[in-house]
Amino acid sequence: MTKPVIRKKYLLAPGPVPVPESSRLIAAQSIIHHRTPQFESILKECTDGLKKTFNTTQDVFIMAASGSGAMEAAMANIMSRGEKMLAIVGGKFGERWAKMGEAFGLDVQVMTLEWGSAPDPDDVKKILDADKNIKAVFTQLFETSTTTLFDIKAIAAITRTRDVMLVVDAVSALLATTFEMDAWGVDVAVCGSQKAFMLPPGLAYISLSERAWDRVEKSDLPKFYFNLKAYKKSAAKNSTPYTPAVMLVQQLKETLRIIFERGVEANIQDCVHQMNAVHAAAKALGLKLLSKNPGPPATGILLPDSIDGAKIPKIMRDEYGVTVAGGQEHLKGKIIRIAHMGHVEFTDLVVAITTLEVVLRKLGYDKFELGAGVAALTKELYVV
Ligand SMILES: *Cc1c(COP(=O)(O)O)cnc(C)c1O
């Protein structure tokens, strides 16, 4: 038998995720000029919508950058030369905070977690109690590399009562799990377009609390493109300091329409429902989860030791057209990560789990009845 042709592609990596058709079509329209009342009104609608998704009354700025650009903006604008910071490192993205701090010459203290664990808020409190020089805590809401959800509400309850900033990378988490910037007392939150916002990569969002703005006034780290004072000045005129990613902003307007039509809370519940279904599927295949505290954006599944795990995402992609993510660093070959956020929907998950079963079988793992994973998934998804 010759190999079947793979024409259909399914994207279930934890970013980028698929983009809805109505949003893709916007990218094909004629470009409009950004210094016009037409664009200014679109930008205003988007920033108003973003405020609702961040649950803040503060400005939310839209920048032409990937999520890491907003991470860099956060650090460059609230920190000053030589200041001390705490990076909570439980995976790749926590590491990014630590590396960034070093690049800026900050005094970086690292709180190291086992990959797959979430920080215990009491441990954060102990570190802050022991060292009053720490000016800011940098962490994630969802550590995508280990698919682990962090309890930001509890950590914010500690930082908000002292002179310590809490900077939260919510790039993969916003719209997939609950986040209340103002009510929790988060000082800086950053996000990006290619995760639960179901847009192509290229936009970064950032918002700062009132007390974070006080620190911006004192900050002396070098910055130009990411100087948030320029963004704030422009935002007052519904504009941006530099040329915005005009088409992506228009696509964001469409995304927000789709999300508000469903409702933010319902959107989050969909992700939770899909997460539960993927957990059930893994269990039915005799596989365990990597994370001790998994979350709604994506699931990391531990692969059997008996097979070469690095082959699974490769075969799924190249022979079946299904893209999931593998593990990073020491988790390479040990896990696969399946997204259930943004425009990843029930039927996509059926395809992903079916394909996973077939590839596990091909590689010789047979501790499950063919169809068991998809049966468990379907039961969770469709049977009420
Ligand atoms: C995707 C992601 C980012 C942003 O990475 P970019 O490649 O710069 O867009 C940051 N933090 C987390 C937790 C992410 O999942």
Side-chain angles (χ1 to χ4, degrees):
M1 195 174 82
T2 56
K3 272 191 181 172
V5 180
I6 303 299
R7 294 197 186 87
K8 274 199 174 172
K9 298 271 163 56
Y10 296 84
L11 182 57
L12 293 106
V17 298
V19 176
E21 187 173 28
S22 60
S23 176
R24 291 204 308 274
L25 290 172
I26 287 168
Q29 290 175 3
S30 306
I31 197 148
I32 64 169
H33 197 276
H34 55 293
R35 307 287 180 212
T36 55
Q38 289 75 18
F39 185 75
E40 283 161 15
S41 114
I42 293 166
L43 190 71
K44 176 157 177 22
E45 195 176 327
C46 287
T47 43
D48 286 348
L50 285 178
K51 285 182 192 184
K52 282 190 212 155
T53 66
F54 277 66
N55 279 303
T56 185
T57 57
Q58 298 292 326
D59 280 330
V60 181
F61 307 127
I62 303 171
M63 302 190 279
S66 82
S68 302
M71 291 171 77
E72 179 157 341
M75 191 173 285
N77 282 270
I78 64 156
M79 299 302 285
S80 287
R81 288 172 210 266
E83 276 185 340
K84 188 154 190 183
M85 59 168 272
L86 177 69
I88 299 179
V89 178
K92 272 308 262 188
F93 292 102
E95 265 177 10
R96 189 165 298 177
W97 280 132
K99 283 186 186 161
M100 208 177 261
E102 275 155 24
F104 276 113
L106 299 175
D107 180 2
V108 182
Q109 181 167 339
V110 171
M111 176 184 179
T112 309
L113 307 171
E114 191 193 333
W115 284 36
S117 294
D120 180 342
D122 277 343
D123 292 342
V124 178
K125 184 172 180 296
K126 278 181 207 145
I127 293 172
L128 296 179
D129 282 342
D131 190 346
K132 302 289 181 205
N133 285 324
I134 297 170
K135 302 285 189 220
V137 177
F138 291 83
T139 189
Q140 271 67 41
L141 177 53
F142 185 74
E143 173 52 79
T144 317
S145 62
T146 66
T147 60
T148 301
L149 192 63
F150 291 3
D151 189 352
I152 294 302
K153 189 181 179 184
I155 296 171
I158 297 159
T159 52
R160 68 186 304 177
T161 60
R162 38 185 108 201
D163 192 17
V164 177
M165 294 282 111
L166 177 61
V167 182
V168 177
D169 160 8
V171 175
S172 58
L174 211 65
L175 291 179
T177 188
T178 305
F179 180 68
E180 299 194 25
M181 176 163 167
D182 289 1
W184 293 357
V186 171
D187 293 293
V188 186
V190 300
C191 194
S193 53
Q194 80 273 27
K195 308 281 168 85
F197 276 86
M198 49 193 179
L199 292 168
L203 291 183
Y205 324 131
I206 185 166
S207 185
L208 280 71
S209 71
E210 233 173 272
R211 65 177 200 156
W213 279 109
D214 293 340
R215 288 192 55 94
V216 172
E217 287 307 318
K218 296 183 204 121
S219 164
D220 66 359
L221 287 186
K223 51 198 164 272
F224 184 82
Y225 182 74
F226 289 129
N227 189 333
L228 294 176
K229 283 189 192 167
Y231 286 84
K232 188 177 182 137
K233 206 167 145 198
S234 295
K237 297 174 283 177
N238 297 318
S239 182
T240 53
Y242 316 108
T243 311
V246 171
M247 299 321 264
L248 286 171
V249 172
Q250 292 184 84
Q251 289 178 278
L252 171 59
K253 182 181 153 186
E254 173 62 8
T255 289
L256 290 166
R257 187 194 66 73
I258 295 170
I259 284 162
F260 293 141
E261 186 177 64
R262 173 87 177 119
V264 173
E265 191 46 40
N267 206 73
I268 291 170
Q269 284 317 312
D270 291 343
C271 294
V272 171
H273 189 186
Q274 295 182 177
M275 168 188 77
N276 290 336
V278 171
H279 290 186
K283 195 172 169 201
L285 297 177
L287 303 176
K288 292 205 164 63
L289 304 184
L290 165 73
S291 180
K292 295 194 178 80
N293 194 37
T299 294
I301 301 172
L302 284 164
L303 298 170
D305 288 336
S306 58
I307 60 170
D308 180 0
K311 283 192 178 147
I312 292 193
K314 241 187 220 147
I315 299 175
M316 286 178 75
R317 181 192 62 217
D318 297 340
E319 292 185 25
Y320 297 92
V322 179
T323 298
V324 297
Q328 292 164 291
E329 294 198 4
H330 64 275
L331 293 177
K332 209 170 181 351
K334 300 248 182 330
I335 61 166
I336 60 159
R337 291 174 297 148
I338 300 176
H340 23 72
M341 63 179 150
H343 198 49
V344 173
E345 295 186 344
F346 291 1
T347 42
D348 298 309
L349 293 172
V350 172
V351 170
I353 297 298
T354 307
T355 311
L356 174 62
E357 287 193 19
V358 170
V359 176
L360 281 169
R361 266 298 160 91
K362 271 196 157 178
L363 292 175
Y365 175 74
D366 60 1
K367 296 205 169 55
F368 66 96
E369 193 84 37
L370 204 56
V374 95
L377 179 96
T378 331
K379 235 180 233 165
E380 278 287 333
L381 290 181
Y382 298 109
V383 182
V384 264

